[in-house]
Amino acid sequence: MSLYVMKFGGSSVGDTERMKRVAGRVVEKADEGHQCVVVVSAMGDTTDDLIDQAKLLNSDLPAREMDMLLTTGEQISISLLSMAIQALGRKAVSFTGWQAGFRTEPVHGKARIQDIRPERVNAALADGNIVIVAGFQGMTEDGEITTLGRGGSDTTAVALAAAIQADACEIYTDVDGIYSTDPRIVKVARKLKEISYDEMLELANLGAAVLHPRAVEYAKHSGVPLIVRSSFNHNEGTVVKEEAAMEQGVVVSGIAYDKNVARISILGVPDVPGVLAEVFGALAAEQLDVDIIVQSGVMDGKADFSFSVALSDREKALHVIEGLHSRLPYREVTSEENLVKISIVGAGMVSHPGVAAKMFKVISGEGVSIKMVSTSEIKVSCVIDGEKLHDVIKALHTAYDLDTEEQAVIGGPQVRR
């Protein structure tokens, strides 16, 4: 008997019919002789609807009360799924994140897991139950309810799989695996049979929404086998593991994009030691993540530099920079929106020169200027205007020989070319 953790996202349990389908899928797995722990997200757009309701009442959303509110979405899902499974003749029990033993740091909105005490989960399994656990949530040692941030249900599933020593963690979604790029944009995207933790972590951090970055980090650290597959069909999925075999001739494994990008430029900054430390120290103190940093040449003792932040953090970052003006005189601060970061990722890039040059040539061939560049051993990222994003992705996908004759599968039916 094998032990599986099965995670289903909001689209997979978006209504009662889909809930019934998930229940059938879980029971099918149990009927094969496996023990099953199921982690679920809130149904469909429940989380967004709750946020919208809160905004109608208070424009300054209090973090603690938002955690109290948003965790109700997953509680609806777990109870309904448990009922659906019981209706199929199987024993099932639902647990909130804290009942399942998740203890987090005392941070609201994006808490990190500190410990998991899965005694109740293990006891329920031993009693013959299918166990349903609410994703995305936990509790501090002081009894405060917390959430893990958007996408945190992936992290819940992987962390729980590690804690109960599951044989594998299966992430069920509306696509039947991990593709070389968004199959909604490129209908002939290549489905990957397997991918390394490192490549998947880069793709997830760079905008690929199929897996949450923290979940991939947890899987890599804990050695949890991770499988991404569709909740709408039984197609073979993609395995995320330590080392993945490279397909013959494939240097770039995937292309990711992130529309949540803004660029801030500080112009006419005194070229003296400590300036960058002052600026980025102030941003870090406000929990603002900075991605790409570019500094231009020095003229008349003054320098210009730019950095990118999440678009959602732009106003807060500008406020921090404005607060530095009295002790850090600069000429001007500017910001840009409507930008996108597009990235290529692949372990094969390490031993193949010219990969970045081809990317730059393809982007310029689409008549698009590159505003910022960032590289690592296995990825190259470019910040560009977002108007021709789809054209650039399609051109890059073709240039790196990733197109296939197969049709991407999304939500069950095939996507027509």
Side-chain angles (χ1 to χ4, degrees), residues 112-365:
R112 288 187 172 271
I113 299 166
Q114 291 185 325
D115 188 24
I116 304 173
R117 304 163 191 172
E119 290 83 4
R120 292 189 70 177
V121 172
N122 288 328
L125 286 169
D127 196 34
N129 285 283
I130 294 171
V131 179
I132 320 298
V133 176
F136 174 67
Q137 58 185 244
M139 181 177 283
T140 69
E141 288 293 347
D142 294 333
E144 287 292 313
I145 293 174
T146 56
T147 61
L148 309 182
R150 298 304 288 264
S153 291
D154 286 351
T155 308
T156 299
V158 176
L160 187 55
I164 64 176
Q165 298 182 321
D167 294 278
C169 178
E170 296 183 327
I171 306 292
Y172 290 81
T173 180
D174 60 351
V175 293
D176 65 341
I178 296 166
Y179 281 81
S180 51
T181 195
D182 188 342
R184 298 167 184 82
I185 296 176
V186 179
K187 304 301 188 293
V188 291
R190 179 190 301 256
K191 189 172 82 171
L192 308 177
K193 183 177 181 180
E194 55 187 39
I195 187 171
S196 70
Y197 290 127
D198 288 338
E199 288 175 302
M200 190 65 243
L201 185 56
E202 287 281 16
L203 287 171
N205 275 317
L206 294 167
V210 68
L211 280 175
H212 194 275
R214 282 161 63 185
V216 182
E217 286 179 352
Y218 220 116
K220 176 178 171 63
H221 176 73
S222 305
V224 173
L226 205 52
I227 303 168
V228 178
R229 60 194 315 172
S230 175
S231 61
F232 297 95
N233 60 57
H234 289 74
N235 293 352
E236 185 178 351
T238 300
V239 179
V240 185
K241 60 183 187 177
E242 186 60 44
E243 295 294 338
M246 287 176 54
E247 290 189 47
Q248 186 66 31
V250 175
V251 177
V252 172
S253 299
I255 301 170
Y257 65 92
D258 182 3
K259 293 181 178 180
N260 184 31
V261 177
R263 179 168 78 160
I264 295 175
S265 299
I266 306 179
L267 311 177
V269 180
D271 181 38
V272 296
V275 169
L276 294 181
E278 176 108 23
V279 171
F280 295 108
L283 293 168
E286 295 298 321
Q287 304 297 312
L288 292 167
D289 290 326
V290 174
D291 186 13
I292 303 173
I293 303 171
V294 176
Q295 181 170 340
S296 64
V298 179
M299 182 176 294
D300 298 327
K302 304 286 185 180
D304 302 337
F305 66 90
S306 303
F307 58 92
S308 64
V309 295
L311 181 59
S312 54
D313 288 338
R314 185 183 73 95
E315 291 299 327
K316 187 175 181 180
L318 286 172
H319 181 72
V320 171
I321 299 303
E322 289 168 3
L324 295 174
H325 197 223
S326 61
R327 62 181 186 273
L328 180 66
Y330 50 76
R331 186 177 73 254
E332 183 183 6
V333 174
T334 64
S335 68
E336 294 177 76
E337 300 182 32
N338 302 317
L339 303 177
V340 63
K341 181 173 68 175
I342 188 165
S343 309
I344 57 172
V345 174
M349 293 168 57
V350 177
S351 57
H352 288 77
V355 176
K358 178 183 285 190
M359 182 182 191
F360 302 151
K361 183 177 180 180
V362 169
I363 293 174
S364 66

Side-chain angles (χ1 to χ4, degrees), residues 63-72 75 96-98 104-109 111 136-148:
R64 180 188 183 277
E65 301 310 323
M66 288 304 295
D67 277 0
M68 291 288 287
L69 174 68
L70 297 183
T71 50
T72 63
Q75 291 182 57
T96 63
W98 46 95
T104 75
E105 62 184 357
V107 175
H108 289 292
F136 174 67
Q137 58 185 244
M139 181 177 283
T140 69
E141 288 293 347
D142 294 333
E144 287 292 313
I145 293 174
T146 56
T147 61
L148 309 182

Side-chain angles (χ1 to χ4, degrees), residues 88-103:
L88 296 177
R90 278 280 184 170
K91 290 177 64 177
V93 62
S94 63
F95 293 134
T96 63
W98 46 95
Q99 288 176 320
F102 281 82
R103 297 294 180 266

